[in-house]
Amino acid sequence: MAESVCRALRDGSMEGEHAAALTVKDSMKCPYGHNVFNHVLTQLSSNILSSKSQSKGLVLVALSQSPSFYYDLLRSRGIVDFVTNKWIHILDGYNDPLGWKKWLSEHDKIGSISSEIFASTTIFRNIKDLDQLLSLIIEVGKGLVGQGKGRFSVAIDSVSEMLRHVSLSSLAGLLSKLRGHDQISSTFWLLHSDLHDIKATAVLEYMSTMVITLEQTSESFDQQQTILENLSLHEQNSCKGKIQVRMKRRNGRVRVTCEEFDIDQSGMKFSSASPESATINQSLLPKVQFNLQLTEKERMDKENVVLPFEHQGNGKTIQIYDGRRALTEGKKGTEPTPTQQLPAVEDSGKGDIIYFRDSDDEMPDSDEDPDDDLDI
Amino acid sequence: MAATKTRASSFSRNPSLLNSSHTSPGLKHGPNGSIFVSSGIPDLDKILGGGFSLGSLVMIMEDAEAPHHMLLLRNFMAQGLVHSQPLLYASPASDPRGFLGTLPSPEKGLRIAWQYKKYFGEQQPNLEAHRDSKHEYCSDFDLRKPLERHFLTRQQISCVSIQDPLNLTSFREHCSTFLNEIQRIDGITSCIGRIAIQSFCAPQCGYSNMDWVMLSFIRSLKSMVRSSNAVAIISFPPSLLSPSFCKRWQHLLTYCFQLKQSEPRHVSDEDKDLAKLLTGYQDMVGLLNVHKVARANTQVPVILEATTFSIKLQKRRHLTLECLNQTPVDGASKTSYATTGSCSGSSKTGALDF
């Protein structure tokens, strides 16, 4: 669930553990990764401001949007306190990531750059030097929370943007160093999975503790039609999609949940997955040879069986058939012989076992030795 | 008639000679003249028929989502330290020595209040009331208790971080000097070295893109280890390696284990189904699949009874491996156990065989 992810980011990591890391992964089929990223960002920001979270500050590396976009976003969500309470710092990698504008202005090719300078924005001009970026992040973060035990969070707007300029292993090195730093409590980043090969996605998933994957709700065979549908929905200012959240827990188990989301003007709304869109749960129980479960019919039949020695329920006392008396109820073919029938069943008229004792054939009072008949 | 016992064939090794020569508890002699080194986990030693054979290279394919390979590595390293065997540990962390603090401590043997000395006489003059863990081939490790400091400071342990060096030649030289030094410490074969490399192709290492370089490193490590008295363990995440190289590594290494996690929990009640299917599902922390076992000096391949084992932590202290107990499946049914995909997080692993 998106709520559990935000809670995990809020709670951060324990002492000695690597920082919690979230990857938000989207693709062209469901291109709303930015919305999810912004949602997570605003949730974490409000948690930081209300002091509910482990981290006391947020460093945002903005590469695909300018810093003013983020300030407007936070303002629209009701978070306005930037100046007095220093809790956020944005590293601007959007305006001049490769330092070209500066180079051009130094060589008087273009006029001097005038950009909006916010108090808590630092522009960095060399995205290819990740060591410098790392030290800048840490320095800025320490500035937010102080030198002591304070911890801060790091958000990277788009890791895809970084992968345009740097290699995968150096990016992985940066992320692992961020996660391993004592003062960083949680990190999260956005990735567009169809811009990179599978290995890049696998590496980023390996390095993160939580992965949010955006998928489209309906599997439409016609991709063109899906995109058109999405566009028309977009015009109505509402977009739908599905997210799948994979969370790695400390004991090694993984928890997978699915949710649907709905984007409109005011933000994102998450709802639990509707039944028909839930993945088909194959029953894991294989067919066992001895099945101890009863079907309905079998259960009813079982209830109908009348057991011997059971109270018949019709007010009469239990009749235990003694056998010495002749059967009075209609039975099959009993001739009035002194044969004695031993009791076999007591219930009325279901079945009968007729047993003739061998010793009944004997004449009474015969004490003869049967061997006397033999002539040895 | 003087009945002199003559040997029919002179090719059989006389085991009594061997037993008197070695005194180290860290070794065990197996059939066909093979020597085994304990892995630190008693159940694993039993499965492998004694332990890791000397000069072998063990591969552990990690699960990208679970840290269980660390448990195996910890037990392996701690066993070596308990037996005073020199250890080389390499990991992509910038400070690998920190990992040594997480090594488990061996469980002391049972204290039996019994007067052994009365019965054994002069055979075992040093027998104490409790068995010293040093004399056991494989100790039972308590994962919650850290290893005592004197084990860590006593013998040579070197830790290397494999994150920074872009090429592996410096690491390779480090390994070769380490292995050469083992020969020099002790003249007899009782000194065994252990090498543990964790997360070999982790993405933050600079060489992780260079598949052929890594492969040649593993090949040279294998030749070094085979000619010296050492056992090496390498763990790596297979999802970050291309499948053809994963297969190449599997062929190159002597033992191959794969760790998988039990089925990821969907919010539905799949857990209850799995709990019905496997006994003790709740205690299970993961699955261990044994892909390849060494053939110690024999041409006959070793065929194990079962290749999938569940990893359990008894009272969170002891690592045990158990065969999976499963309800008998109707053979005629179409939906076989493997295709329903339970017990394996990824579909690329084949059917589990029991």
Side-chain angles (χ1 to χ4, degrees), chain B residues 44 55 69 99 106 114 117 134 157 173 203 219 240 242-243 289 301 326 328 336 353:
Chain B
L44 191 59
H69 56 277
F99 185 64
W114 189 261
K117 292 178 194 160
K134 228 174 113 66
I157 305 173
E173 276 158 24
R219 195 178 63 80
L240 302 184
S242 70
N289 211 339
Q326 189 215 359
S336 70
D353 46 336

mmCIF file with all atom_site columns, all heavy atoms in Angstrom, chain B residues 44 55 69 99 106 114 117 134 157 173 203 219 240 242-243 289 301 326 328 336 353:
data_model
loop_
_atom_site.group_PDB
_atom_site.id
_atom_site.type_symbol
_atom_site.label_atom_id
_atom_site.label_alt_id
_atom_site.label_comp_id
_atom_site.label_asym_id
_atom_site.label_entity_id
_atom_site.label_seq_id
_atom_site.pdbx_PDB_ins_code
_atom_site.Cartn_x
_atom_site.Cartn_y
_atom_site.Cartn_z
_atom_site.occupancy
_atom_site.B_iso_or_equiv
_atom_site.pdbx_formal_charge
_atom_site.auth_seq_id
_atom_site.auth_comp_id
_atom_site.auth_asym_id
_atom_site.auth_atom_id
_atom_site.pdbx_PDB_model_num
ATOM 1   N N   . LEU B 1 44  ? 24.574 -28.690 6.897   1.00 0.00 ? 44  LEU B N   1
ATOM 2   C CA  . LEU B 1 44  ? 25.159 -28.601 5.560   1.00 0.00 ? 44  LEU B CA  1
ATOM 3   C C   . LEU B 1 44  ? 26.294 -29.597 5.411   1.00 0.00 ? 44  LEU B C   1
ATOM 4   O O   . LEU B 1 44  ? 26.473 -30.211 4.360   1.00 0.00 ? 44  LEU B O   1
ATOM 5   C CB  . LEU B 1 44  ? 25.654 -27.177 5.307   1.00 0.00 ? 44  LEU B CB  1
ATOM 6   C CG  . LEU B 1 44  ? 26.055 -26.848 3.878   1.00 0.00 ? 44  LEU B CG  1
ATOM 7   C CD1 . LEU B 1 44  ? 24.892 -27.068 2.953   1.00 0.00 ? 44  LEU B CD1 1
ATOM 8   C CD2 . LEU B 1 44  ? 26.536 -25.423 3.778   1.00 0.00 ? 44  LEU B CD2 1
ATOM 9   N N   . GLY B 1 55  ? 40.497 -27.222 -1.189  1.00 0.00 ? 55  GLY B N   1
ATOM 10  C CA  . GLY B 1 55  ? 40.850 -26.746 -2.520  1.00 0.00 ? 55  GLY B CA  1
ATOM 11  C C   . GLY B 1 55  ? 39.654 -26.473 -3.399  1.00 0.00 ? 55  GLY B C   1
ATOM 12  O O   . GLY B 1 55  ? 39.788 -26.347 -4.612  1.00 0.00 ? 55  GLY B O   1
ATOM 13  N N   . HIS B 1 69  ? 22.430 -15.009 2.607   1.00 0.00 ? 69  HIS B N   1
ATOM 14  C CA  . HIS B 1 69  ? 23.793 -15.445 2.298   1.00 0.00 ? 69  HIS B CA  1
ATOM 15  C C   . HIS B 1 69  ? 24.756 -15.010 3.395   1.00 0.00 ? 69  HIS B C   1
ATOM 16  O O   . HIS B 1 69  ? 25.785 -15.645 3.635   1.00 0.00 ? 69  HIS B O   1
ATOM 17  C CB  . HIS B 1 69  ? 24.232 -14.897 0.943   1.00 0.00 ? 69  HIS B CB  1
ATOM 18  C CG  . HIS B 1 69  ? 24.138 -13.411 0.866   1.00 0.00 ? 69  HIS B CG  1
ATOM 19  N ND1 . HIS B 1 69  ? 22.976 -12.749 0.571   1.00 0.00 ? 69  HIS B ND1 1
ATOM 20  C CD2 . HIS B 1 69  ? 25.065 -12.454 1.064   1.00 0.00 ? 69  HIS B CD2 1
ATOM 21  C CE1 . HIS B 1 69  ? 23.197 -11.457 0.588   1.00 0.00 ? 69  HIS B CE1 1
ATOM 22  N NE2 . HIS B 1 69  ? 24.454 -11.249 0.876   1.00 0.00 ? 69  HIS B NE2 1
ATOM 23  N N   . PHE B 1 99  ? 32.084 -6.137  9.606   1.00 0.00 ? 99  PHE B N   1
ATOM 24  C CA  . PHE B 1 99  ? 31.317 -7.366  9.515   1.00 0.00 ? 99  PHE B CA  1
ATOM 25  C C   . PHE B 1 99  ? 31.797 -8.403  10.517  1.00 0.00 ? 99  PHE B C   1
ATOM 26  O O   . PHE B 1 99  ? 31.037 -9.285  10.931  1.00 0.00 ? 99  PHE B O   1
ATOM 27  C CB  . PHE B 1 99  ? 31.426 -7.907  8.082   1.00 0.00 ? 99  PHE B CB  1
ATOM 28  C CG  . PHE B 1 99  ? 30.595 -9.107  7.817   1.00 0.00 ? 99  PHE B CG  1
ATOM 29  C CD1 . PHE B 1 99  ? 29.216 -9.038  7.894   1.00 0.00 ? 99  PHE B CD1 1
ATOM 30  C CD2 . PHE B 1 99  ? 31.177 -10.310 7.500   1.00 0.00 ? 99  PHE B CD2 1
ATOM 31  C CE1 . PHE B 1 99  ? 28.434 -10.142 7.649   1.00 0.00 ? 99  PHE B CE1 1
ATOM 32  C CE2 . PHE B 1 99  ? 30.405 -11.423 7.244   1.00 0.00 ? 99  PHE B CE2 1
ATOM 33  C CZ  . PHE B 1 99  ? 29.040 -11.335 7.318   1.00 0.00 ? 99  PHE B CZ  1
ATOM 34  N N   . PRO B 1 106 ? 30.491 -19.836 19.057  1.00 0.00 ? 106 PRO B N   1
ATOM 35  C CA  . PRO B 1 106 ? 30.095 -21.233 19.143  1.00 0.00 ? 106 PRO B CA  1
ATOM 36  C C   . PRO B 1 106 ? 29.452 -21.549 20.478  1.00 0.00 ? 106 PRO B C   1
ATOM 37  O O   . PRO B 1 106 ? 29.774 -20.967 21.505  1.00 0.00 ? 106 PRO B O   1
ATOM 38  C CB  . PRO B 1 106 ? 31.405 -21.998 18.986  1.00 0.00 ? 106 PRO B CB  1
ATOM 39  C CG  . PRO B 1 106 ? 32.443 -21.046 19.396  1.00 0.00 ? 106 PRO B CG  1
ATOM 40  C CD  . PRO B 1 106 ? 31.950 -19.684 19.081  1.00 0.00 ? 106 PRO B CD  1
ATOM 41  N N   . TRP B 1 114 ? 29.625 -35.712 35.076  1.00 0.00 ? 114 TRP B N   1
ATOM 42  C CA  . TRP B 1 114 ? 29.960 -37.124 35.028  1.00 0.00 ? 114 TRP B CA  1
ATOM 43  C C   . TRP B 1 114 ? 31.453 -37.218 35.183  1.00 0.00 ? 114 TRP B C   1
ATOM 44  O O   . TRP B 1 114 ? 32.169 -36.418 34.630  1.00 0.00 ? 114 TRP B O   1
ATOM 45  C CB  . TRP B 1 114 ? 29.544 -37.677 33.652  1.00 0.00 ? 114 TRP B CB  1
ATOM 46  C CG  . TRP B 1 114 ? 29.626 -39.139 33.506  1.00 0.00 ? 114 TRP B CG  1
ATOM 47  C CD1 . TRP B 1 114 ? 30.616 -39.843 32.923  1.00 0.00 ? 114 TRP B CD1 1
ATOM 48  C CD2 . TRP B 1 114 ? 28.667 -40.094 33.935  1.00 0.00 ? 114 TRP B CD2 1
ATOM 49  N NE1 . TRP B 1 114 ? 30.358 -41.169 32.953  1.00 0.00 ? 114 TRP B NE1 1
ATOM 50  C CE2 . TRP B 1 114 ? 29.156 -41.357 33.580  1.00 0.00 ? 114 TRP B CE2 1
ATOM 51  C CE3 . TRP B 1 114 ? 27.446 -40.008 34.606  1.00 0.00 ? 114 TRP B CE3 1
ATOM 52  C CZ2 . TRP B 1 114 ? 28.476 -42.521 33.852  1.00 0.00 ? 114 TRP B CZ2 1
ATOM 53  C CZ3 . TRP B 1 114 ? 26.771 -41.169 34.864  1.00 0.00 ? 114 TRP B CZ3 1
ATOM 54  C CH2 . TRP B 1 114 ? 27.287 -42.417 34.487  1.00 0.00 ? 114 TRP B CH2 1
ATOM 55  N N   . LYS B 1 117 ? 36.965 -39.157 34.120  1.00 0.00 ? 117 LYS B N   1
ATOM 56  C CA  . LYS B 1 117 ? 38.336 -39.571 34.387  1.00 0.00 ? 117 LYS B CA  1
ATOM 57  C C   . LYS B 1 117 ? 38.396 -40.948 35.025  1.00 0.00 ? 117 LYS B C   1
ATOM 58  O O   . LYS B 1 117 ? 39.294 -41.724 34.792  1.00 0.00 ? 117 LYS B O   1
ATOM 59  C CB  . LYS B 1 117 ? 39.005 -38.553 35.313  1.00 0.00 ? 117 LYS B CB  1
ATOM 60  C CG  . LYS B 1 117 ? 39.214 -37.236 34.635  1.00 0.00 ? 117 LYS B CG  1
ATOM 61  C CD  . LYS B 1 117 ? 39.838 -36.211 35.543  1.00 0.00 ? 117 LYS B CD  1
ATOM 62  C CE  . LYS B 1 117 ? 39.701 -34.848 34.922  1.00 0.00 ? 117 LYS B CE  1
ATOM 63  N NZ  . LYS B 1 117 ? 39.831 -33.777 35.847  1.00 0.00 ? 117 LYS B NZ  1
ATOM 64  N N   . LYS B 1 134 ? 36.900 -25.856 20.471  1.00 0.00 ? 134 LYS B N   1
ATOM 65  C CA  . LYS B 1 134 ? 38.014 -25.902 19.536  1.00 0.00 ? 134 LYS B CA  1
ATOM 66  C C   . LYS B 1 134 ? 38.268 -27.299 19.008  1.00 0.00 ? 134 LYS B C   1
ATOM 67  O O   . LYS B 1 134 ? 38.804 -27.470 17.940  1.00 0.00 ? 134 LYS B O   1
ATOM 68  C CB  . LYS B 1 134 ? 39.273 -25.415 20.248  1.00 0.00 ? 134 LYS B CB  1
ATOM 69  C CG  . LYS B 1 134 ? 40.055 -24.401 19.461  1.00 0.00 ? 134 LYS B CG  1
ATOM 70  C CD  . LYS B 1 134 ? 41.177 -23.874 20.291  1.00 0.00 ? 134 LYS B CD  1
ATOM 71  C CE  . LYS B 1 134 ? 42.516 -24.285 19.755  1.00 0.00 ? 134 LYS B CE  1
ATOM 72  N NZ  . LYS B 1 134 ? 42.836 -23.715 18.479  1.00 0.00 ? 134 LYS B NZ  1
ATOM 73  N N   . ILE B 1 157 ? 43.774 -12.119 10.192  1.00 0.00 ? 157 ILE B N   1
ATOM 74  C CA  . ILE B 1 157 ? 42.550 -11.927 9.424   1.00 0.00 ? 157 ILE B CA  1
ATOM 75  C C   . ILE B 1 157 ? 42.796 -10.703 8.575   1.00 0.00 ? 157 ILE B C   1
ATOM 76  O O   . ILE B 1 157 ? 43.173 -9.660  9.091   1.00 0.00 ? 157 ILE B O   1
ATOM 77  C CB  . ILE B 1 157 ? 41.356 -11.638 10.342  1.00 0.00 ? 157 ILE B CB  1
ATOM 78  C CG1 . ILE B 1 157 ? 41.199 -12.723 11.372  1.00 0.00 ? 157 ILE B CG1 1
ATOM 79  C CG2 . ILE B 1 157 ? 40.085 -11.495 9.534   1.00 0.00 ? 157 ILE B CG2 1
ATOM 80  C CD1 . ILE B 1 157 ? 40.158 -12.392 12.384  1.00 0.00 ? 157 ILE B CD1 1
ATOM 81  N N   . GLU B 1 173 ? 46.436 -10.289 -6.434  1.00 0.00 ? 173 GLU B N   1
ATOM 82  C CA  . GLU B 1 173 ? 47.754 -10.410 -5.798  1.00 0.00 ? 173 GLU B CA  1
ATOM 83  C C   . GLU B 1 173 ? 47.611 -10.574 -4.299  1.00 0.00 ? 173 GLU B C   1
ATOM 84  O O   . GLU B 1 173 ? 48.367 -11.313 -3.666  1.00 0.00 ? 173 GLU B O   1
ATOM 85  C CB  . GLU B 1 173 ? 48.590 -9.175  -6.108  1.00 0.00 ? 173 GLU B CB  1
ATOM 86  C CG  . GLU B 1 173 ? 49.278 -9.289  -7.446  1.00 0.00 ? 173 GLU B CG  1
ATOM 87  C CD  . GLU B 1 173 ? 49.634 -7.925  -7.991  1.00 0.00 ? 173 GLU B CD  1
ATOM 88  O OE1 . GLU B 1 173 ? 49.761 -6.979  -7.161  1.00 0.00 ? 173 GLU B OE1 1
ATOM 89  O OE2 . GLU B 1 173 ? 49.774 -7.815  -9.216  1.00 0.00 ? 173 GLU B OE2 1
ATOM 90  N N   . PRO B 1 203 ? 26.731 -4.085  -7.692  1.00 0.00 ? 203 PRO B N   1
ATOM 91  C CA  . PRO B 1 203 ? 26.756 -3.033  -8.705  1.00 0.00 ? 203 PRO B CA  1
ATOM 92  C C   . PRO B 1 203 ? 27.675 -1.873  -8.400  1.00 0.00 ? 203 PRO B C   1
ATOM 93  O O   . PRO B 1 203 ? 28.113 -1.180  -9.313  1.00 0.00 ? 203 PRO B O   1
ATOM 94  C CB  . PRO B 1 203 ? 25.294 -2.575  -8.774  1.00 0.00 ? 203 PRO B CB  1
ATOM 95  C CG  . PRO B 1 203 ? 24.680 -3.062  -7.531  1.00 0.00 ? 203 PRO B CG  1
ATOM 96  C CD  . PRO B 1 203 ? 25.396 -4.287  -7.154  1.00 0.00 ? 203 PRO B CD  1
ATOM 97  N N   . ARG B 1 219 ? 38.768 -17.772 -12.342 1.00 0.00 ? 219 ARG B N   1
ATOM 98  C CA  . ARG B 1 219 ? 39.561 -18.913 -12.808 1.00 0.00 ? 219 ARG B CA  1
ATOM 99  C C   . ARG B 1 219 ? 40.922 -18.935 -12.136 1.00 0.00 ? 219 ARG B C   1
ATOM 100 O O   . ARG B 1 219 ? 41.403 -19.983 -11.697 1.00 0.00 ? 219 ARG B O   1
ATOM 101 C CB  . ARG B 1 219 ? 39.696 -18.847 -14.328 1.00 0.00 ? 219 ARG B CB  1
ATOM 102 C CG  . ARG B 1 219 ? 40.173 -20.121 -14.944 1.00 0.00 ? 219 ARG B CG  1
ATOM 103 C CD  . ARG B 1 219 ? 40.233 -19.970 -16.448 1.00 0.00 ? 219 ARG B CD  1
ATOM 104 N NE  . ARG B 1 219 ? 41.183 -18.964 -16.860 1.00 0.00 ? 219 ARG B NE  1
ATOM 105 C CZ  . ARG B 1 219 ? 42.497 -19.156 -16.947 1.00 0.00 ? 219 ARG B CZ  1
ATOM 106 N NH1 . ARG B 1 219 ? 43.002 -20.332 -16.664 1.00 0.00 ? 219 ARG B NH1 1
ATOM 107 N NH2 . ARG B 1 219 ? 43.291 -18.189 -17.312 1.00 0.00 ? 219 ARG B NH2 1
ATOM 108 N N   . LEU B 1 240 ? 22.012 -9.890  -11.243 1.00 0.00 ? 240 LEU B N   1
ATOM 109 C CA  . LEU B 1 240 ? 22.738 -8.772  -11.820 1.00 0.00 ? 240 LEU B CA  1
ATOM 110 C C   . LEU B 1 240 ? 23.770 -9.222  -12.832 1.00 0.00 ? 240 LEU B C   1
ATOM 111 O O   . LEU B 1 240 ? 24.546 -8.413  -13.319 1.00 0.00 ? 240 LEU B O   1
ATOM 112 C CB  . LEU B 1 240 ? 23.445 -7.990  -10.706 1.00 0.00 ? 240 LEU B CB  1
ATOM 113 C CG  . LEU B 1 240 ? 22.521 -7.458  -9.635  1.00 0.00 ? 240 LEU B CG  1
ATOM 114 C CD1 . LEU B 1 240 ? 23.310 -6.637  -8.661  1.00 0.00 ? 240 LEU B CD1 1
ATOM 115 C CD2 . LEU B 1 240 ? 21.442 -6.601  -10.243 1.00 0.00 ? 240 LEU B CD2 1
ATOM 116 N N   . SER B 1 242 ? 24.606 -11.510 -16.379 1.00 0.00 ? 242 SER B N   1
ATOM 117 C CA  . SER B 1 242 ? 23.882 -12.057 -17.526 1.00 0.00 ? 242 SER B CA  1
ATOM 118 C C   . SER B 1 242 ? 23.812 -13.579 -17.392 1.00 0.00 ? 242 SER B C   1
ATOM 119 O O   . SER B 1 242 ? 24.723 -14.190 -16.852 1.00 0.00 ? 242 SER B O   1
ATOM 120 C CB  . SER B 1 242 ? 24.580 -11.658 -18.812 1.00 0.00 ? 242 SER B CB  1
ATOM 121 O OG  . SER B 1 242 ? 25.796 -12.334 -18.919 1.00 0.00 ? 242 SER B OG  1
ATOM 122 N N   . PRO B 1 243 ? 22.752 -14.191 -17.887 1.00 0.00 ? 243 PRO B N   1
ATOM 123 C CA  . PRO B 1 243 ? 22.552 -15.625 -17.628 1.00 0.00 ? 243 PRO B CA  1
ATOM 124 C C   . PRO B 1 243 ? 23.669 -16.507 -18.181 1.00 0.00 ? 243 PRO B C   1
ATOM 125 O O   . PRO B 1 243 ? 23.998 -17.535 -17.582 1.00 0.00 ? 243 PRO B O   1
ATOM 126 C CB  . PRO B 1 243 ? 21.232 -15.946 -18.333 1.00 0.00 ? 243 PRO B CB  1
ATOM 127 C CG  . PRO B 1 243 ? 20.664 -14.681 -18.762 1.00 0.00 ? 243 PRO B CG  1
ATOM 128 C CD  . PRO B 1 243 ? 21.639 -13.575 -18.589 1.00 0.00 ? 243 PRO B CD  1
ATOM 129 N N   . ASN B 1 289 ? 18.942 -24.226 -2.305  1.00 0.00 ? 289 ASN B N   1
ATOM 130 C CA  . ASN B 1 289 ? 18.934 -25.200 -3.378  1.00 0.00 ? 289 ASN B CA  1
ATOM 131 C C   . ASN B 1 289 ? 20.373 -25.589 -3.666  1.00 0.00 ? 289 ASN B C   1
ATOM 132 O O   . ASN B 1 289 ? 21.209 -24.723 -3.891  1.00 0.00 ? 289 ASN B O   1
ATOM 133 C CB  . ASN B 1 289 ? 18.322 -24.529 -4.612  1.00 0.00 ? 289 ASN B CB  1
ATOM 134 C CG  . ASN B 1 289 ? 17.597 -25.505 -5.470  1.00 0.00 ? 289 ASN B CG  1
ATOM 135 O OD1 . ASN B 1 289 ? 17.844 -26.688 -5.385  1.00 0.00 ? 289 ASN B OD1 1
ATOM 136 N ND2 . ASN B 1 289 ? 16.696 -25.011 -6.274  1.00 0.00 ? 289 ASN B ND2 1
ATOM 137 N N   . PRO B 1 301 ? 29.370 -39.466 -9.977  1.00 0.00 ? 301 PRO B N   1
ATOM 138 C CA  . PRO B 1 301 ? 28.802 -38.204 -9.495  1.00 0.00 ? 301 PRO B CA  1
ATOM 139 C C   . PRO B 1 301 ? 28.027 -38.408 -8.212  1.00 0.00 ? 301 PRO B C   1
ATOM 140 O O   . PRO B 1 301 ? 27.472 -39.464 -7.956  1.00 0.00 ? 301 PRO B O   1
ATOM 141 C CB  . PRO B 1 301 ? 27.868 -37.762 -10.627 1.00 0.00 ? 301 PRO B CB  1
ATOM 142 C CG  . PRO B 1 301 ? 27.514 -39.008 -11.315 1.00 0.00 ? 301 PRO B CG  1
ATOM 143 C CD  . PRO B 1 301 ? 28.689 -39.924 -11.190 1.00 0.00 ? 301 PRO B CD  1
ATOM 144 N N   . GLN B 1 326 ? 6.416  -32.326 2.452   1.00 0.00 ? 326 GLN B N   1
ATOM 145 C CA  . GLN B 1 326 ? 5.282  -31.895 1.655   1.00 0.00 ? 326 GLN B CA  1
ATOM 146 C C   . GLN B 1 326 ? 4.229  -32.986 1.651   1.00 0.00 ? 326 GLN B C   1
ATOM 147 O O   . GLN B 1 326 ? 4.545  -34.159 1.734   1.00 0.00 ? 326 GLN B O   1
ATOM 148 C CB  . GLN B 1 326 ? 5.779  -31.640 0.237   1.00 0.00 ? 326 GLN B CB  1
ATOM 149 C CG  . GLN B 1 326 ? 4.787  -30.986 -0.652  1.00 0.00 ? 326 GLN B CG  1
ATOM 150 C CD  . GLN B 1 326 ? 4.914  -31.489 -2.057  1.00 0.00 ? 326 GLN B CD  1
ATOM 151 O OE1 . GLN B 1 326 ? 5.756  -32.303 -2.355  1.00 0.00 ? 326 GLN B OE1 1
ATOM 152 N NE2 . GLN B 1 326 ? 4.055  -31.023 -2.913  1.00 0.00 ? 326 GLN B NE2 1
ATOM 153 N N   . PRO B 1 328 ? 1.739  -35.590 0.089   1.00 0.00 ? 328 PRO B N   1
ATOM 154 C CA  . PRO B 1 328 ? 1.891  -36.357 -1.158  1.00 0.00 ? 328 PRO B CA  1
ATOM 155 C C   . PRO B 1 328 ? 0.931  -35.846 -2.215  1.00 0.00 ? 328 PRO B C   1
ATOM 156 O O   . PRO B 1 328 ? -0.227 -35.577 -1.971  1.00 0.00 ? 328 PRO B O   1
ATOM 157 C CB  . PRO B 1 328 ? 1.559  -37.788 -0.754  1.00 0.00 ? 328 PRO B CB  1
ATOM 158 C CG  . PRO B 1 328 ? 0.971  -37.713 0.572   1.00 0.00 ? 328 PRO B CG  1
ATOM 159 C CD  . PRO B 1 328 ? 1.303  -36.412 1.191   1.00 0.00 ? 328 PRO B CD  1
ATOM 160 N N   . SER B 1 336 ? 0.958  -29.606 -11.531 1.00 0.00 ? 336 SER B N   1
ATOM 161 C CA  . SER B 1 336 ? 1.974  -30.158 -10.644 1.00 0.00 ? 336 SER B CA  1
ATOM 162 C C   . SER B 1 336 ? 2.446  -29.091 -9.676  1.00 0.00 ? 336 SER B C   1
ATOM 163 O O   . SER B 1 336 ? 2.182  -27.916 -9.845  1.00 0.00 ? 336 SER B O   1
ATOM 164 C CB  . SER B 1 336 ? 3.143  -30.687 -11.459 1.00 0.00 ? 336 SER B CB  1
ATOM 165 O OG  . SER B 1 336 ? 3.821  -29.592 -12.016 1.00 0.00 ? 336 SER B OG  1
ATOM 166 N N   . ASP B 1 353 ? 12.754 -30.560 -6.671  1.00 0.00 ? 353 ASP B N   1
ATOM 167 C CA  . ASP B 1 353 ? 12.639 -31.994 -6.544  1.00 0.00 ? 353 ASP B CA  1
ATOM 168 C C   . ASP B 1 353 ? 12.933 -32.370 -5.110  1.00 0.00 ? 353 ASP B C   1
ATOM 169 O O   . ASP B 1 353 ? 13.719 -31.748 -4.430  1.00 0.00 ? 353 ASP B O   1
ATOM 170 C CB  . ASP B 1 353 ? 13.586 -32.714 -7.503  1.00 0.00 ? 353 ASP B CB  1
ATOM 171 C CG  . ASP B 1 353 ? 14.963 -32.111 -7.470  1.00 0.00 ? 353 ASP B CG  1
ATOM 172 O OD1 . ASP B 1 353 ? 15.070 -30.941 -7.095  1.00 0.00 ? 353 ASP B OD1 1
ATOM 173 O OD2 . ASP B 1 353 ? 15.915 -32.793 -7.802  1.00 0.00 ? 353 ASP B OD2 1
#
